Amino acid sequence: MMKNVVFIGTRSWYRHIVPAVLSLIEHTKVDMIYLVIEDDVFPYDLPCEYKVVNVSEQNIFPKGSINYNNYFTYVCLLRVALTNLLPDVDQVLSLDDDIIVADDISPMWDVDLTGKWMAAVPETYKWGVETDCYYNCGVVMYNLKQMREDGIDDKLIEYLNTVEVTFSDQVAINWFLKDNQQKAVRYDVRYNEFCNSGSTNNPAIIHYCGYHDWMTNKSMPRVEFLETYQNKFCEMYGEKPLKKNSTRYMIHACPKRMWYVEEFLLPEMISQGIPEESIIVWNDTEGWGNLKSFVKSMEYCRDNLPKNESVWHIQDDVILSPNFRAYTELHDELSYGFCNKEWDADTYNYPGVTTAKHSWHSFQCVCIPNRLAGDFAAWFRWNTRSGCFRLLPWTKGGVHDDVNFRLFLLEEHPDALCVNVRPNLVDHVDFLIGGTVLDK
């Protein structure tokens, strides 16, 4: 049997595919590696047999379709379309990019998949589907031949083009396995060992899922395996190691509350180990007021900070949780969308991943990518150019930053990722320190 493997990734993930490939070919002899990517040529010439499948012009999941911009990139949806993308392949091992192979995985091809769709490792948490056995789809051996014969590939594609989900292919696959458990085979957990689970002492595949910053996190369990192949990648291709971006914070202060910022908020942030140079105090000395000051701050982020980074925006009337720094650093590398403190525990449970159109956003503490900040500033200026600004029905004059930002998201980015953080990063204590017109 041909030992075929497939990796899928957008351009920003190319450098993360390579360490996974290097670890694979060091431990296991495979016949062909397929790279489902956004170009005709992979920029790193791999020391193995590989073929490229360019999906930059794919229309299986059209741009703007219901799940195109969900929690994961659109290419993750394409795992359910491998029957189409690899028409001459009957069986293939699909691997996430955030894995490292630590042992020979040849036995994975010894599993009998006659009449089956796939083999994978069950996961404890059932994301989006209540089923007897829920499978993690970061490591899956697909029987593409059987999937074609049963027509399940077309059903999966139709499902993801009509039903809004969060975890892309994984939700769809488990949905159809819910009443077809006999179509899947269970692998031993060592073939998809979550790095923080500690289930086995000899993992064959280490999966770094669950860590938003897995590429640069130096404190993860079993990070030494990842670093080994990241270093090999840098040595082979002359690349520099990735470094975790310094998390930035902006405190939005009015002059009447600067005493609280200086005497309590700033010292608490510094006591948690946040470097003072990473904190921007945005003091509304001009008396712009809540909304105008916020728009000005968004323009500052757009014009003065890297567009591929994010900033945590904090109100001047909060107290910080003891783990404020740890939780903000965990969520500070959002590529698109934003992250805010948990608002309604009954609606948004941890990790609370949803889209902008399905979430309310408390601005007591919110992480906004600078790219999105710039979009908001431009949108606001355009809508107020001739006094033609349209307000949400429940606003009273539209003076609040969170209300206007929500209107912006609903109109311009309804599918932007929102991660509702739990536990709460901050607590609102305006009633203790006084309103914006109360001096010390």
Side-chain angles (χ1 to χ4, degrees):
M1 177 186 295
M2 290 280 289
K3 291 185 175 68
N4 300 310
V5 181
V6 62
F7 290 91
I8 297 178
T10 57
R11 292 186 183 95
S12 61
W13 281 77
Y14 288 176
R15 68 170 290 151
H16 306 307
I17 292 175
V18 180
V21 171
L22 294 178
S23 70
L24 168 66
I25 62 178
E26 183 173 310
H27 292 95
T28 305
K29 180 176 174 53
V30 297
D31 295 298
M32 182 61 65
I33 294 177
Y34 294 91
L35 303 177
V36 178
I37 59 174
E38 295 182 312
D39 293 285
D40 290 325
V41 179
F42 193 59
Y44 305 105
D45 190 20
L46 300 174
C48 60
E49 290 291 323
Y50 69 96
K51 293 181 180 178
V52 167
V53 179
N54 185 349
V55 293
S56 60
E57 301 297 328
Q58 66 85 29
N59 59 7
I60 300 171
F61 298 102
K63 190 173 183 179
S65 56
I66 192 168
N67 289 305
Y68 188 87
N69 286 321
N70 71 3
Y71 183 58
F72 297 103
T73 59
Y74 75 93
V75 295
C76 293
L77 300 170
L78 293 172
R79 291 195 185 102
V80 305
L82 290 175
T83 51
N84 296 346
L85 300 174
L86 307 177
D88 299 323
V89 177
D90 289 338
Q91 185 169 317
V92 66
L93 176 63
S94 172
L95 295 177
D96 270 2
D97 302 336
D98 58 345
I99 63 96
I100 289 294
V101 178
D103 199 358
D104 183 14
I105 61 171
S106 297
M108 296 184 75
W109 279 271
D110 295 336
V111 173
D112 185 8
L113 289 183
T114 303
K116 311 293 184 182
W117 295 338
M118 55 175 275
V121 175
E123 182 175 349
T124 303
Y125 196 93
K126 300 173 181 180
W127 304 92
V129 180
E130 282 298 326
T131 180
D132 292 337
C133 185
Y134 185 96
Y135 292 94
N136 180 276
C137 291
V139 178
V140 183
M141 183 73 76
Y142 287 109
N143 183 350
L144 301 182
K145 181 179 179 181
Q146 189 66 49
M147 292 176 72
R148 293 186 191 101
E149 290 177 1
D150 292 350
I152 188 62
D153 51 345
D154 292 333
K155 293 178 182 177
L156 286 164
I157 293 170
E158 181 183 7
Y159 179 85
L160 287 174
N161 270 320
T162 54
V163 179
E164 187 173 13
V165 301
T166 299
F167 288 89
S168 301
D169 56 310
Q170 185 164 290
V171 170
I173 289 168
N174 279 284
W175 174 260
F176 282 94
L177 284 174
K178 181 178 180 180
D179 297 322
N180 296 280
Q181 292 283 311
Q182 76 282 2
K183 289 293 186 177
V185 176
R186 300 187 188 191
Y187 275 133
D188 186 88
V189 68
R190 73 184 298 259
Y191 292 110
N192 187 358
E193 169 81 8
F194 292 4
C195 69
N196 59 354
S197 69
S199 299
T200 66
N201 293 321
N202 63 334
I205 298 177
I206 303 171
H207 195 176
Y208 294 94
C209 63
Y211 287 87
H212 184 77
D213 58 345
W214 67 273
M215 310 91 147
T216 54
N217 190 320
K218 302 301 182 183
S219 60
M220 293 184 300
R222 292 172 170 158
V223 69
E224 65 276 9
F225 290 90
L226 177 62
E227 289 182 329
T228 295
Y229 294 98
Q230 285 180 332
N231 292 337
K232 286 186 177 182
F233 162 73
C234 293
E235 292 170 5
M236 290 178 63
Y237 300 99
E239 295 280 0
K240 293 182 180 180
L242 286 175
K243 292 184 179 180
K244 184 175 176 65
N245 291 331
S246 175
T247 307
R248 286 187 171 90
Y249 305 85
M250 177 179 284
I251 301 173
H252 293 255
C254 68
K256 299 295 185 180
R257 281 184 177 159
M258 275 302 297
W259 68 273
Y260 177 76
V261 171
E262 293 173 348
E263 294 183 23
F264 295 98
L265 201 50
L266 269 174
E268 174 60 22
M269 294 177 74
I270 293 170
S271 72
Q272 291 194 20
I274 296 174
E276 193 168 357
E277 60 271 19
S278 298
I279 305 170
I280 302 169
V281 178
W282 186 261
N283 188 2
D284 182 13
T285 56
E286 300 295 327
W288 289 317
N290 176 284
L291 181 55
K292 187 174 181 181
S293 178
F294 178 72
V295 174
K296 289 279 189 179
S297 72
M298 295 293 99
E299 291 174 334
Y300 174 89
C301 294
R302 176 196 64 194
D303 298 336
N304 297 279
L305 301 176
K307 288 182 172 56
N308 62 339
E309 294 184 9
S310 303
V311 173
W312 280 96
H313 297 268
I314 307 160
Q315 286 186 188
D316 58 3
D317 55 359
V318 299
I319 55 175
L320 310 182
S321 75
N323 296 316
F324 176 80
R325 179 190 179 187
Y327 280 109
T328 52
E329 288 184 349
L330 179 64
H331 293 281
D332 73 341
E333 294 180 355
L334 297 172
S335 59
Y336 200 70
F338 61 98
C339 182
N340 63 269
K341 64 158 283 188
E342 171 269 331
W343 181 256
D344 181 352
D346 294 329
T347 304
Y348 306 121
N349 292 313
Y350 185 81
V353 180
T354 183
T355 53
K357 62 186 176 185
H358 292 145
S359 178
W360 177 258
H361 322 299
S362 166
F363 267 36
Q364 295 157 24
C365 180
V366 59
C367 183
I368 301 176
N370 296 328
R371 176 172 47 223
L372 202 62
D375 287 352
F376 168 75
W379 171 88
F380 183 84
R381 296 295 186 187
W382 173 259
N383 277 281
T384 56
R385 68 195 185 282
S386 302
C388 61
F389 189 58
R390 291 167 291 104
L391 303 176
L392 288 173
W394 59 85
T395 62
K396 296 180 180 180
V399 296
H400 297 293
D401 47 11
D402 53 356
V403 170
N404 283 279
F405 197 84
R406 174 159 174 74
L407 178 57
F408 156 70
L409 289 171
L410 290 174
E411 291 193 348
E412 301 295 325
H413 301 284
D415 296 314
L417 166 66
C418 173
V419 185
N420 293 282
V421 182
R422 294 187 71 189
N424 282 356
L425 300 177
V426 301
D427 282 316
H428 204 193
V429 292
D430 59 329
F431 61 94
L432 293 178
I433 63 174
T436 57
V437 297
L438 181 65
D439 205 344
K440 182 178 178 181

PDB file of all heavy atoms in Angstrom, residues 16-38:
ATOM      1  N   HIS A  16       5.599  26.484   9.038  1.00  0.00           N
ATOM      2  CA  HIS A  16       5.232  25.552  10.094  1.00  0.00           C
ATOM      3  C   HIS A  16       5.031  24.139   9.556  1.00  0.00           C
ATOM      4  O   HIS A  16       5.135  23.162  10.310  1.00  0.00           O
ATOM      5  CB  HIS A  16       3.958  26.031  10.788  1.00  0.00           C
ATOM      6  CG  HIS A  16       4.040  27.443  11.294  1.00  0.00           C
ATOM      7  ND1 HIS A  16       5.065  27.873  12.112  1.00  0.00           N
ATOM      8  CD2 HIS A  16       3.260  28.528  11.082  1.00  0.00           C
ATOM      9  CE1 HIS A  16       4.895  29.158  12.389  1.00  0.00           C
ATOM     10  NE2 HIS A  16       3.815  29.573  11.766  1.00  0.00           N
ATOM     11  N   ILE A  17       4.755  24.036   8.264  1.00  0.00           N
ATOM     12  CA  ILE A  17       4.623  22.717   7.646  1.00  0.00           C
ATOM     13  C   ILE A  17       5.967  22.004   7.618  1.00  0.00           C
ATOM     14  O   ILE A  17       6.042  20.791   7.853  1.00  0.00           O
ATOM     15  CB  ILE A  17       4.056  22.848   6.217  1.00  0.00           C
ATOM     16  CG1 ILE A  17       2.598  23.332   6.250  1.00  0.00           C
ATOM     17  CG2 ILE A  17       4.150  21.520   5.464  1.00  0.00           C
ATOM     18  CD1 ILE A  17       2.002  23.597   4.879  1.00  0.00           C
ATOM     19  N   VAL A  18       7.035  22.751   7.352  1.00  0.00           N
ATOM     20  CA  VAL A  18       8.349  22.131   7.145  1.00  0.00           C
ATOM     21  C   VAL A  18       8.838  21.345   8.359  1.00  0.00           C
ATOM     22  O   VAL A  18       9.261  20.191   8.218  1.00  0.00           O
ATOM     23  CB  VAL A  18       9.377  23.181   6.697  1.00  0.00           C
ATOM     24  CG1 VAL A  18      10.746  22.516   6.495  1.00  0.00           C
ATOM     25  CG2 VAL A  18       8.927  23.863   5.414  1.00  0.00           C
ATOM     26  N   PRO A  19       8.841  21.901   9.584  1.00  0.00           N
ATOM     27  CA  PRO A  19       9.286  21.093  10.730  1.00  0.00           C
ATOM     28  C   PRO A  19       8.488  19.799  10.887  1.00  0.00           C
ATOM     29  O   PRO A  19       9.053  18.755  11.251  1.00  0.00           O
ATOM     30  CB  PRO A  19       9.084  22.030  11.926  1.00  0.00           C
ATOM     31  CG  PRO A  19       9.183  23.403  11.347  1.00  0.00           C
ATOM     32  CD  PRO A  19       8.551  23.291   9.995  1.00  0.00           C
ATOM     33  N   ALA A  20       7.189  19.864  10.616  1.00  0.00           N
ATOM     34  CA  ALA A  20       6.364  18.659  10.706  1.00  0.00           C
ATOM     35  C   ALA A  20       6.814  17.628   9.673  1.00  0.00           C
ATOM     36  O   ALA A  20       6.923  16.423   9.979  1.00  0.00           O
ATOM     37  CB  ALA A  20       4.892  19.011  10.497  1.00  0.00           C
ATOM     38  N   VAL A  21       7.089  18.083   8.456  1.00  0.00           N
ATOM     39  CA  VAL A  21       7.565  17.173   7.400  1.00  0.00           C
ATOM     40  C   VAL A  21       8.921  16.585   7.770  1.00  0.00           C
ATOM     41  O   VAL A  21       9.153  15.378   7.618  1.00  0.00           O
ATOM     42  CB  VAL A  21       7.641  17.901   6.049  1.00  0.00           C
ATOM     43  CG1 VAL A  21       8.351  17.027   5.017  1.00  0.00           C
ATOM     44  CG2 VAL A  21       6.247  18.278   5.553  1.00  0.00           C
ATOM     45  N   LEU A  22       9.840  17.416   8.261  1.00  0.00           N
ATOM     46  CA  LEU A  22      11.173  16.933   8.623  1.00  0.00           C
ATOM     47  C   LEU A  22      11.098  15.869   9.702  1.00  0.00           C
ATOM     48  O   LEU A  22      11.834  14.868   9.665  1.00  0.00           O
ATOM     49  CB  LEU A  22      12.045  18.101   9.092  1.00  0.00           C
ATOM     50  CG  LEU A  22      12.387  19.166   8.033  1.00  0.00           C
ATOM     51  CD1 LEU A  22      13.204  20.291   8.656  1.00  0.00           C
ATOM     52  CD2 LEU A  22      13.127  18.563   6.848  1.00  0.00           C
ATOM     53  N   SER A  23      10.212  16.062  10.674  1.00  0.00           N
ATOM     54  CA  SER A  23      10.072  15.061  11.729  1.00  0.00           C
ATOM     55  C   SER A  23       9.464  13.773  11.182  1.00  0.00           C
ATOM     56  O   SER A  23       9.826  12.671  11.601  1.00  0.00           O
ATOM     57  CB  SER A  23       9.218  15.611  12.875  1.00  0.00           C
ATOM     58  OG  SER A  23       7.862  15.752  12.493  1.00  0.00           O
ATOM     59  N   LEU A  24       8.556  13.906  10.239  1.00  0.00           N
ATOM     60  CA  LEU A  24       7.911  12.732   9.638  1.00  0.00           C
ATOM     61  C   LEU A  24       8.914  11.873   8.887  1.00  0.00           C
ATOM     62  O   LEU A  24       9.018  10.656   9.124  1.00  0.00           O
ATOM     63  CB  LEU A  24       6.794  13.188   8.705  1.00  0.00           C
ATOM     64  CG  LEU A  24       6.202  12.122   7.766  1.00  0.00           C
ATOM     65  CD1 LEU A  24       5.477  11.048   8.568  1.00  0.00           C
ATOM     66  CD2 LEU A  24       5.267  12.772   6.742  1.00  0.00           C
ATOM     67  N   ILE A  25       9.658  12.489   7.977  1.00  0.00           N
ATOM     68  CA  ILE A  25      10.548  11.697   7.119  1.00  0.00           C
ATOM     69  C   ILE A  25      11.759  11.166   7.875  1.00  0.00           C
ATOM     70  O   ILE A  25      12.419  10.227   7.419  1.00  0.00           O
ATOM     71  CB  ILE A  25      10.993  12.504   5.878  1.00  0.00           C
ATOM     72  CG1 ILE A  25      11.794  13.744   6.289  1.00  0.00           C
ATOM     73  CG2 ILE A  25       9.783  12.880   5.044  1.00  0.00           C
ATOM     74  CD1 ILE A  25      12.309  14.555   5.112  1.00  0.00           C
ATOM     75  N   GLU A  26      12.060  11.740   9.038  1.00  0.00           N
ATOM     76  CA  GLU A  26      13.162  11.211   9.852  1.00  0.00           C
ATOM     77  C   GLU A  26      12.776   9.898  10.525  1.00  0.00           C
ATOM     78  O   GLU A  26      13.629   9.046  10.777  1.00  0.00           O
ATOM     79  CB  GLU A  26      13.569  12.234  10.908  1.00  0.00           C
ATOM     80  CG  GLU A  26      14.755  11.796  11.767  1.00  0.00           C
ATOM     81  CD  GLU A  26      15.242  12.887  12.696  1.00  0.00           C
ATOM     82  OE1 GLU A  26      15.472  14.023  12.224  1.00  0.00           O
ATOM     83  OE2 GLU A  26      15.389  12.601  13.903  1.00  0.00           O
ATOM     84  N   HIS A  27      11.490   9.728  10.796  1.00  0.00           N
ATOM     85  CA  HIS A  27      11.051   8.548  11.543  1.00  0.00           C
ATOM     86  C   HIS A  27      10.317   7.520  10.690  1.00  0.00           C
ATOM     87  O   HIS A  27      10.226   6.353  11.088  1.00  0.00           O
ATOM     88  CB  HIS A  27      10.133   8.978  12.691  1.00  0.00           C
ATOM     89  CG  HIS A  27      10.826   9.741  13.775  1.00  0.00           C
ATOM     90  ND1 HIS A  27      10.866  11.120  13.811  1.00  0.00           N
ATOM     91  CD2 HIS A  27      11.526   9.309  14.854  1.00  0.00           C
ATOM     92  CE1 HIS A  27      11.547  11.503  14.879  1.00  0.00           C
ATOM     93  NE2 HIS A  27      11.956  10.441  15.523  1.00  0.00           N
ATOM     94  N   THR A  28       9.793   7.929   9.551  1.00  0.00           N
ATOM     95  CA  THR A  28       8.947   7.035   8.768  1.00  0.00           C
ATOM     96  C   THR A  28       9.209   7.213   7.280  1.00  0.00           C
ATOM     97  O   THR A  28       9.256   8.344   6.788  1.00  0.00           O
ATOM     98  CB  THR A  28       7.454   7.315   9.047  1.00  0.00           C
ATOM     99  OG1 THR A  28       7.204   7.230  10.442  1.00  0.00           O
ATOM    100  CG2 THR A  28       6.567   6.320   8.304  1.00  0.00           C
ATOM    101  N   LYS A  29       9.356   6.095   6.577  1.00  0.00           N
ATOM    102  CA  LYS A  29       9.517   6.156   5.124  1.00  0.00           C
ATOM    103  C   LYS A  29       8.130   6.239   4.495  1.00  0.00           C
ATOM    104  O   LYS A  29       7.307   5.330   4.644  1.00  0.00           O
ATOM    105  CB  LYS A  29      10.259   4.920   4.609  1.00  0.00           C
ATOM    106  CG  LYS A  29      10.453   4.915   3.100  1.00  0.00           C
ATOM    107  CD  LYS A  29      11.267   3.733   2.648  1.00  0.00           C
ATOM    108  CE  LYS A  29      11.344   3.657   1.124  1.00  0.00           C
ATOM    109  NZ  LYS A  29      11.815   4.905   0.503  1.00  0.00           N
ATOM    110  N   VAL A  30       7.861   7.345   3.803  1.00  0.00           N
ATOM    111  CA  VAL A  30       6.580   7.514   3.119  1.00  0.00           C
ATOM    112  C   VAL A  30       6.831   7.621   1.617  1.00  0.00           C
ATOM    113  O   VAL A  30       7.932   7.984   1.183  1.00  0.00           O
ATOM    114  CB  VAL A  30       5.827   8.762   3.629  1.00  0.00           C
ATOM    115  CG1 VAL A  30       5.489   8.614   5.105  1.00  0.00           C
ATOM    116  CG2 VAL A  30       6.621  10.031   3.395  1.00  0.00           C
ATOM    117  N   ASP A  31       5.822   7.314   0.835  1.00  0.00           N
ATOM    118  CA  ASP A  31       5.976   7.318  -0.621  1.00  0.00           C
ATOM    119  C   ASP A  31       5.762   8.697  -1.225  1.00  0.00           C
ATOM    120  O   ASP A  31       6.468   9.100  -2.147  1.00  0.00           O
ATOM    121  CB  ASP A  31       4.986   6.321  -1.240  1.00  0.00           C
ATOM    122  CG  ASP A  31       5.301   4.896  -0.823  1.00  0.00           C
ATOM    123  OD1 ASP A  31       6.387   4.402  -1.152  1.00  0.00           O
ATOM    124  OD2 ASP A  31       4.452   4.293  -0.148  1.00  0.00           O
ATOM    125  N   MET A  32       4.753   9.444  -0.714  1.00  0.00           N
ATOM    126  CA  MET A  32       4.452  10.754  -1.293  1.00  0.00           C
ATOM    127  C   MET A  32       3.823  11.656  -0.242  1.00  0.00           C
ATOM    128  O   MET A  32       2.971  11.227   0.533  1.00  0.00           O
ATOM    129  CB  MET A  32       3.499  10.613  -2.483  1.00  0.00           C
ATOM    130  CG  MET A  32       3.163  11.932  -3.179  1.00  0.00           C
ATOM    131  SD  MET A  32       4.643  12.738  -3.879  1.00  0.00           S
ATOM    132  CE  MET A  32       5.093  11.529  -5.142  1.00  0.00           C
ATOM    133  N   ILE A  33       4.275  12.907  -0.256  1.00  0.00           N
ATOM    134  CA  ILE A  33       3.674  13.934   0.593  1.00  0.00           C
ATOM    135  C   ILE A  33       2.991  14.940  -0.323  1.00  0.00           C
ATOM    136  O   ILE A  33       3.607  15.475  -1.251  1.00  0.00           O
ATOM    137  CB  ILE A  33       4.734  14.637   1.467  1.00  0.00           C
ATOM    138  CG1 ILE A  33       5.311  13.646   2.481  1.00  0.00           C
ATOM    139  CG2 ILE A  33       4.132  15.851   2.179  1.00  0.00           C
ATOM    140  CD1 ILE A  33       6.420  14.221   3.332  1.00  0.00           C
ATOM    141  N   TYR A  34       1.718  15.187  -0.069  1.00  0.00           N
ATOM    142  CA  TYR A  34       0.949  16.174  -0.827  1.00  0.00           C
ATOM    143  C   TYR A  34       0.831  17.446   0.005  1.00  0.00           C
ATOM    144  O   TYR A  34       0.524  17.398   1.206  1.00  0.00           O
ATOM    145  CB  TYR A  34      -0.439  15.634  -1.166  1.00  0.00           C
ATOM    146  CG  TYR A  34      -0.411  14.466  -2.126  1.00  0.00           C
ATOM    147  CD1 TYR A  34      -0.358  13.163  -1.657  1.00  0.00           C
ATOM    148  CD2 TYR A  34      -0.420  14.675  -3.505  1.00  0.00           C
ATOM    149  CE1 TYR A  34      -0.333  12.087  -2.525  1.00  0.00           C
ATOM    150  CE2 TYR A  34      -0.381  13.607  -4.384  1.00  0.00           C
ATOM    151  CZ  TYR A  34      -0.336  12.312  -3.899  1.00  0.00           C
ATOM    152  OH  TYR A  34      -0.293  11.252  -4.770  1.00  0.00           O
ATOM    153  N   LEU A  35       1.083  18.568  -0.635  1.00  0.00           N
ATOM    154  CA  LEU A  35       0.967  19.867   0.019  1.00  0.00           C
ATOM    155  C   LEU A  35      -0.182  20.631  -0.633  1.00  0.00           C
ATOM    156  O   LEU A  35      -0.087  21.046  -1.795  1.00  0.00           O
ATOM    157  CB  LEU A  35       2.270  20.662  -0.113  1.00  0.00           C
ATOM    158  CG  LEU A  35       3.540  19.996   0.422  1.00  0.00           C
ATOM    159  CD1 LEU A  35       4.747  20.885   0.155  1.00  0.00           C
ATOM    160  CD2 LEU A  35       3.413  19.694   1.911  1.00  0.00           C
ATOM    161  N   VAL A  36      -1.268  20.794   0.079  1.00  0.00           N
ATOM    162  CA  VAL A  36      -2.424  21.546  -0.414  1.00  0.00           C
ATOM    163  C   VAL A  36      -2.232  22.982   0.066  1.00  0.00           C
ATOM    164  O   VAL A  36      -2.453  23.302   1.236  1.00  0.00           O
ATOM    165  CB  VAL A  36      -3.740  20.947   0.114  1.00  0.00           C
ATOM    166  CG1 VAL A  36      -4.926  21.777  -0.359  1.00  0.00           C
ATOM    167  CG2 VAL A  36      -3.873  19.497  -0.342  1.00  0.00           C
ATOM    168  N   ILE A  37      -1.795  23.843  -0.854  1.00  0.00           N
ATOM    169  CA  ILE A  37      -1.357  25.190  -0.480  1.00  0.00           C
ATOM    170  C   ILE A  37      -1.911  26.228  -1.462  1.00  0.00           C
ATOM    171  O   ILE A  37      -2.710  25.896  -2.335  1.00  0.00           O
ATOM    172  CB  ILE A  37       0.180  25.276  -0.420  1.00  0.00           C
ATOM    173  CG1 ILE A  37       0.789  24.917  -1.781  1.00  0.00           C
ATOM    174  CG2 ILE A  37       0.723  24.348   0.675  1.00  0.00           C
ATOM    175  CD1 ILE A  37       2.297  25.110  -1.847  1.00  0.00           C
ATOM    176  N   GLU A  38      -1.439  27.461  -1.332  1.00  0.00           N
ATOM    177  CA  GLU A  38      -1.973  28.567  -2.137  1.00  0.00           C
ATOM    178  C   GLU A  38      -1.050  28.984  -3.284  1.00  0.00           C
ATOM    179  O   GLU A  38      -1.219  30.055  -3.842  1.00  0.00           O
ATOM    180  CB  GLU A  38      -2.235  29.770  -1.235  1.00  0.00           C
ATOM    181  CG  GLU A  38      -3.324  29.529  -0.200  1.00  0.00           C
ATOM    182  CD  GLU A  38      -3.602  30.741   0.660  1.00  0.00           C
ATOM    183  OE1 GLU A  38      -2.634  31.356   1.176  1.00  0.00           O
ATOM    184  OE2 GLU A  38      -4.781  31.091   0.828  1.00  0.00           O
TER     185      GLU A  38
END
